[in-house]
Every structure is written in structure tokens, then in C-alpha cells.
Amino acid sequence: MKLLMSLLLALLLVVPGCSSEKKQSDGKLQVVTTLFPLYDFARTIGGDRATVTLLLPPGVEPHSFEPRPEDVVRVNRADLFIYTNAVMEPWAANIISGLDKGKVEVVEGGKGIALMQGPVSDQHRGEHDAHEGKGMDPHIWLDFDNARTIAKNILAAYVARDPANKAFYQQNAAKLDSDLAALDQRFKATLAQCPKKVLLHGGHYAFGYLARRYGLKYISASAVNADAEPTPAKLAELVQVMRREHLGYVYTEELLSPRIAETIARETGAKVLMLRAGHNVTRDDLQRGVTFISLMEENLRNLKTGLQ
């Protein structure tokens, strides 16, 4: 696959009209992002001075995404390629290796953010160690201080690439930073008043950063790798926790099967609520104009309900 990408890229780059340029004819920076939080921050900071696109097709779960040769070609026509980190998008390495580094600036959105350790299931330990950073949790944007750092990294890349519009980008980034700080305060104030402090999630370990920041005990059915399946013993343990903690709600995650959460709910008489990890969104979400902050506000409403 990597060789095929390189050959196709080389062919297209020598065809007249297919070469990269610093900016398109409209003068806007061309930006390609991997995940939705990066996309939303980049379009907010870039405003009308940048054309920002999301590499993941709508509704595609990013852990299992495999880039196509045309994705590499698409990124090679950009000014900036923004990804989170090597643990969240291990497939980004194939794209980066095929880029013309003299034309495309690669931006690690999560630069400077320390990853926290997540659980690793024995069933998938070897696979997880090889592909998921040995159990490190890559969902850094769910700590909103980390989200603010990501936005600052994106801002720095914009200013370095297009210094003539520095003040414009800084103004937009300042507004975004203020909005993220206010979101953080709303989460703190609301969750501090919730009597329940156990967040039980029938999916993969995605909400560790959120739980740590707001003093919640987070229990997931599976480890960090999204395709892990809980054992019958693990399911029985989760049912016991639901009953012991008198939990009326179990959480599921967008873009992944709710089957485990629904099984736990049936066994305990609980209800299922959605939590948005925010990696990606559906086509309907895009058409509705959702933002990272609007998704997190939805999470806050569901957390308030589920932790009462």
C-alpha cells in the first residue's frame, strides 16, 4: 500500500496542473485535518482566510481508518496537514512519509501534551502495544486545557505559514480560547453538583481525560483500542458496579455499536445515554453545522442527567 501511494503520488505530481502551490488562486491557505476537533479549531482560527477540509469521510470511525492513495495526493496539495499525534492516528505516518516536506507543513496538534495511561485488555495486549502506543490514551482533546493547547499549536502553524494575516488569526484564536475556557468552567460547575461520580461506559476507553479533569471515576467496558471486546467476566463486573453504585444510566459512544451498553442496560434496568468522543461526525452533523463546543455541550447535558 505504501509503495502504491508513492507511485501514484509521483505520477500525479508531474502532471501539469497537479502540483502543490502555497495558496490556491483565491489566496486562501489550504488546510487538511485528520479529526473533527482539529477541523473545527482550524476552520475557526482560519476564518475566511483558509479552506479547511476533514480527511476522514463522515461517519467513519478513525481508529480503523486506512488512508487511500488519493488521500496522500490530496494532502500534498495543502499548505498545512494537521494531525493529533502518532498514537491517535498511527495511519498518518503513511501519509506523512509520502509528502513533499518542502511544500506541506506537517503540524502535530497535540505537541507538548503528555498522554495518560489507559487500560490494556489481555485479549488485545500484543496488538494494542504495536498499534496504540502501549495503552496510552490519545483522546487528549477531552481535557479542555489540552484542547486549548491544540488550538494554540494550530494558531502557531497558521502564523508561520501566513504571517501577513497574523493579527486576524490571533483574534480568532483568542475568541476560541475564551470559549473553551468558559466551556471548562461550565463542566466544572455542573458536574461538581452531581451526586453520582461514577461514569460507566459500554465502549472503549475514550473519556479518561474528561473524567480525570472533573473528578469522576471512569469505568469502560474495553481498553483503548476501539475494536476490543469485553469478556463475559468483565460484563458481569460492570453489571455489579451498576447495581452497587445504583446507577440509572450507562453511556455509549457515537460511531460505534451500542450493543454492550444495551446489554448492560437490559441486565440492570438502566437507560442508555450518548457521549460524544468527537473524533468524527456524521454527514447530518456536518449539515447541521455542529461544532466541537456544541458536541461537548450535548455531553454536559447527558452527563448531568446520568450522574443525578
Side-chain angles (χ1 to χ4, degrees):
M1 174 62 75
K2 186 175 180 180
L3 177 59
L4 177 60
M5 285 183 177
S6 299
L7 290 174
L8 180 58
L9 176 63
L11 175 62
L12 290 179
L13 289 181
V14 299
V15 175
C18 288
S19 61
S20 261
E21 297 178 359
K22 286 189 175 181
K23 291 188 180 182
Q24 297 295 322
S25 58
D26 60 6
K28 296 182 179 182
L29 282 179
Q30 303 300 306
V31 183
V32 177
T33 62
T34 53
L35 304 186
F36 181 74
L38 307 175
Y39 167 76
D40 189 51
F41 298 165
R43 66 177 177 174
T44 299
I45 295 170
D48 60 7
R49 313 288 167 87
T51 299
V52 182
T53 57
L54 181 60
L55 187 65
L56 286 177
V60 170
E61 209 288 318
H63 294 85
S64 58
F65 177 68
E66 290 289 343
R68 303 160 299 176
E70 53 265 39
D71 292 324
V72 182
V73 174
R74 175 180 165 194
V75 175
N76 249 297
R77 293 173 179 162
D79 297 288
L80 301 176
F81 173 59
I82 308 174
Y83 73 111
T84 313
N85 54 52
V87 181
M88 183 63 240
E89 303 107 320
W91 41 263
N94 284 341
I95 295 177
I96 294 170
S97 66
L99 296 181
D100 183 343
K101 304 302 193 302
K103 296 178 179 178
V104 185
E105 182 71 25
V106 177
V107 181
E108 181 184 349
K111 183 178 181 180
I113 298 174
L115 300 184
M116 66 181 289
Q117 182 71 44
V120 183
S121 66
D122 292 335
Q123 180 183 1
H124 290 79
R125 186 171 300 275
E127 175 185 351
H128 191 276
D129 286 356
H131 299 292
E132 289 282 353
K134 297 186 177 180
M136 304 307 291
D137 182 356
H139 307 87
I140 54 176
W141 58 88
L142 291 173
D143 179 321
F144 302 142
D145 251 7
N146 290 343
R148 295 170 71 186
T149 297
I150 293 170
K152 290 171 184 174
N153 288 337
I154 294 173
L155 169 63
Y158 270 79
V159 170
R161 192 70 172 192
D162 185 20
N165 286 305
K166 176 179 179 180
F168 175 81
Y169 299 138
Q170 287 178 330
Q171 182 179 15
N172 291 343
K175 175 64 166 57
L176 174 60
D177 185 71
S178 176
D179 289 345
L180 288 170
L183 177 70
D184 183 41
Q185 290 304 313
R186 288 194 294 276
F187 264 74
K188 285 180 179 177
T190 301
L191 297 182
Q193 297 175 19
C194 292
K196 301 291 185 183
K197 300 299 179 184
V198 177
L199 168 57
L200 197 142
H201 170 215
H204 84 299
Y205 192 91
F207 299 99
Y209 290 95
L210 184 149
R212 181 180 68 178
R213 184 158 187 83
Y214 303 113
L216 303 176
K217 181 179 180 181
Y218 175 47
I219 304 171
S220 65
S222 306
V224 179
N225 46 318
D227 61 346
E229 285 285 337
T231 63
K234 179 66 175 180
L235 280 175
E237 175 189 333
L238 296 176
V239 168
Q240 290 176 357
V241 171
M242 292 285 294
R243 291 170 174 161
R244 183 175 66 245
E245 299 291 338
H246 305 289
L247 300 178
Y249 294 87
V250 57
Y251 290 93
T252 189
E253 181 185 342
E254 83 277 31
L255 306 183
L256 293 173
S257 171
R259 180 173 56 85
I260 300 301
E262 289 171 349
T263 298
I264 296 170
R266 282 196 302 271
E267 289 294 320
T268 61
K271 297 179 181 178
V272 177
L273 279 175
M274 173 73 71
L275 274 186
R276 307 287 292 258
H279 313 74
N280 197 9
V281 293
T282 65
R283 191 175 302 279
D284 180 62
D285 288 330
L286 289 173
Q287 291 173 346
R288 290 190 295 112
V290 299
T291 66
F292 176 77
I293 289 178
S294 72
L295 293 180
M296 295 304 107
E297 292 283 13
E298 179 184 328
N299 279 353
L300 183 56
R301 290 191 293 272
N302 285 346
L303 284 169
K304 183 179 179 180
T305 297
L307 298 178
Q308 290 297 335

